[in-house]
Amino acid sequence: MLNVLAESPNDPSVLNFLVNGNVAQIPTLKTGLTIFKQLNSIVQSKMDDINEQYEALSSEVIDTEFKHLLQNVKQFSKEDSSQYGSSCGLMALKVIEFFSKYIDRAHLTDFEALKGLETLKTSNVEALATFDKGAGTLLGEIKKDLRKGEHKLYYCILDNALFKDVGGWQHPHYQGHPFVIEKTKADQFRIYQSYDSQYSLKSHLASELAEYPEALRSYGEFYPFMKGLQQLELATQWDASVNDVYKRCFGVDHKTFVGEKLKSDFFSMRFKSLVVHEDEVKAEQDAPIVEKGPTILDQINDLRRNFAPYEKNIKVGAAIGSSVTALALGSIFVVTQTLSKVGII
């Protein structure tokens, strides 16, 4: 009601409250509205600081593709702050969408299914059945991918679930958490994530850019993140140490969960890896347009037309046949020589 009153004081619901509400509550409402305005001002100031930091840090980025992505992130936040500003599932999918032009379309089918959901209630998403499971499995794949010179993305999602000791509607509920890991050809890593009501993708990238050049972590700097995921996967109770690991990985303090028992598969992580064929696509786009010369068939038809007036003469007809044969053989020889020069045969 405070929010509505601040934005639209003539809204019918506000007028109804003022007319039919308890008059004694109006001083409290005024105090609350003052506090709301102050909080709103503080939040806006913080957002301005983040935007300024983001602009300064992103302007120093050298990697052209990553710079392009950073520009897109600014656009994401403008589209609809309520949808893209903090919704971590949709923001992770936006990162995949940015790279999609470099990824085999057949590998993106499951992401289209995820994108159609308002919220990523991972327990009920059939598409995740095709994903690989386990932080240990993911770490194993990343280790195998080292020194292969491949550019890859790993879309990861921690399952959302209730705790084991359910205590009614007030019982805490873990919302799940999707994020994206990028591995460059040089075996450096970026982490893309946002967290509902905690931080946006933009603010997370700003903090990553402030800590790591180009937001790139070496494998040694990235490894503790993966080990943290494995520790969470093995946890049987959300104690202080688990809370600390979670905070280190995702920057969120869930101290209200401390003391809760966890299901054996509570931190059920699923992931899907995607190869980014950026160089191949760019090579196709930058390839020069080669004008095609006349084909062998075109040359034979031209020869036929030149001899057309003399077709009744048998000897000339034989000459045509010989000429066509010579032309065909000559063309084959030229093609063979060309292929040999470029090393194809």
Side-chain angles (χ1 to χ4, degrees):
M1 183 58 69
L2 289 174
N3 192 8
V4 175
L5 184 57
E7 297 294 331
S8 307
N10 295 322
D11 187 280
S13 62
V14 174
L15 295 175
N16 180 64
F17 172 80
L18 293 175
V19 172
N20 300 314
N22 188 338
V23 177
Q25 292 182 351
I26 292 180
T28 305
L29 178 62
K30 287 181 178 179
T31 304
L33 182 56
T34 302
I35 294 172
F36 170 79
K37 287 180 177 178
Q38 290 173 345
L39 290 174
N40 189 54
S41 177
I42 292 170
V43 170
Q44 188 59 50
S45 176
K46 180 67 175 175
M47 289 175 63
D48 290 342
D49 289 343
I50 290 172
N51 289 336
E52 185 177 337
Q53 182 189 31
Y54 186 84
E55 291 289 345
L57 293 168
S58 61
S59 67
E60 298 174 1
V61 169
I62 298 173
D63 184 327
T64 54
E65 194 65 18
F66 182 52
K67 199 178 190 77
H68 185 204
L69 184 144
L70 292 174
Q71 291 171 348
N72 274 259
V73 170
K74 287 196 293 185
Q75 189 59 40
F76 299 163
S77 63
K78 290 177 183 176
E79 289 180 13
D80 185 345
S81 59
S82 64
Q83 184 177 13
Y84 297 112
S86 61
S87 182
C88 51
L90 289 169
M91 290 307 288
L93 291 174
K94 278 285 186 180
V95 174
I96 297 294
E97 184 181 294
F98 173 82
F99 285 102
S100 63
K101 56 184 174 289
Y102 306 127
I103 298 170
D104 188 329
R105 292 298 305 168
H107 298 162
L108 296 171
T109 306
D110 294 331
F111 296 97
E112 293 299 323
L114 288 175
K115 192 177 175 183
L117 300 173
E118 289 186 13
T119 57
L120 295 179
K121 295 184 177 178
T122 62
S123 301
N124 303 318
V125 179
E126 293 181 4
L128 289 176
T130 65
F131 286 33
D132 294 308
K133 187 174 182 179
T137 307
L138 173 60
L139 180 57
E141 180 170 332
I142 289 174
K143 285 181 176 178
K144 288 180 181 178
D145 289 337
L146 295 175
R147 293 177 294 282
K148 283 187 177 180
E150 277 189 329
H151 185 184
K152 292 190 74 173
L153 300 177
Y154 309 87
Y155 174 89
C156 311
I157 185 164
L158 285 170
D159 200 357
N160 66 337
L162 287 169
F163 292 92
K164 181 177 285 187
D165 297 333
V166 178
W169 70 272
Q170 290 183 324
H171 191 80
H173 177 262
Y174 176 65
Q175 63 185 359
H177 183 61
F179 55 95
V180 176
I181 298 168
E182 178 187 8
K183 185 194 79 68
T184 69
K185 290 184 175 183
D187 295 335
Q188 293 179 298
F189 298 83
R190 291 190 183 102
I191 300 172
Y192 301 96
Q193 60 180 334
S194 59
Y195 209 100
D196 287 355
S197 72
Q198 297 288 335
Y199 55 83
S200 66
L201 178 58
K202 180 191 284 187
S203 59
H204 177 261
L205 283 170
S207 64
E208 290 288 292
L209 284 165
E211 188 169 359
Y212 307 103
E214 303 278 304
L216 286 171
R217 306 182 189 206
S218 66
Y219 180 68
E221 292 166 327
F222 170 73
Y223 186 72
F225 178 83
M226 290 303 306
K227 290 303 293 181
L229 293 182
Q230 286 186 293
Q231 288 176 268
L232 293 174
E233 199 171 52
L234 297 173
T236 57
Q237 184 171 1
W238 196 299
D239 55 22
S241 62
V242 166
N243 193 64
D244 185 54
V245 170
Y246 193 91
K247 188 176 179 180
R248 288 203 310 271
C249 285
F250 305 120
V252 177
D253 186 355
H254 278 310
K255 59 186 177 183
T256 56
F257 293 171
V258 172
E260 295 291 343
K261 292 183 179 179
L262 307 178
K263 299 176 182 177
S264 59
D265 61 344
F266 183 83
F267 283 112
S268 175
M269 198 192 82
R270 291 189 176 272
F271 70 94
K272 187 165 188 175
S273 57
L274 302 160
V275 179
V276 180
H277 301 286
E278 184 181 326
D279 291 343
E280 293 179 20
V281 174
K282 284 187 175 179
E284 290 176 9
Q285 292 173 342
D286 298 338
I289 299 174
V290 180
E291 292 187 10
K292 295 182 180 179
T295 64
I296 296 174
L297 182 60
D298 291 334
Q299 295 178 60
I300 291 173
N301 287 333
D302 286 342
L303 189 61
R304 279 186 175 278
R305 282 191 291 272
N306 291 335
F307 280 100
Y310 312 102
E311 283 184 352
K312 291 183 180 179
N313 189 313
I314 296 175
K315 291 182 180 179
V316 174
I320 293 174
S322 300
S323 301
V324 168
T325 302
L327 176 60
L329 290 173
S331 299
I332 291 171
F333 175 76
V334 171
V335 171
T336 304
Q337 288 293 94
T338 304
L339 294 177
S340 177
K341 284 180 181 179
V342 297
I344 295 178
I345 61 172

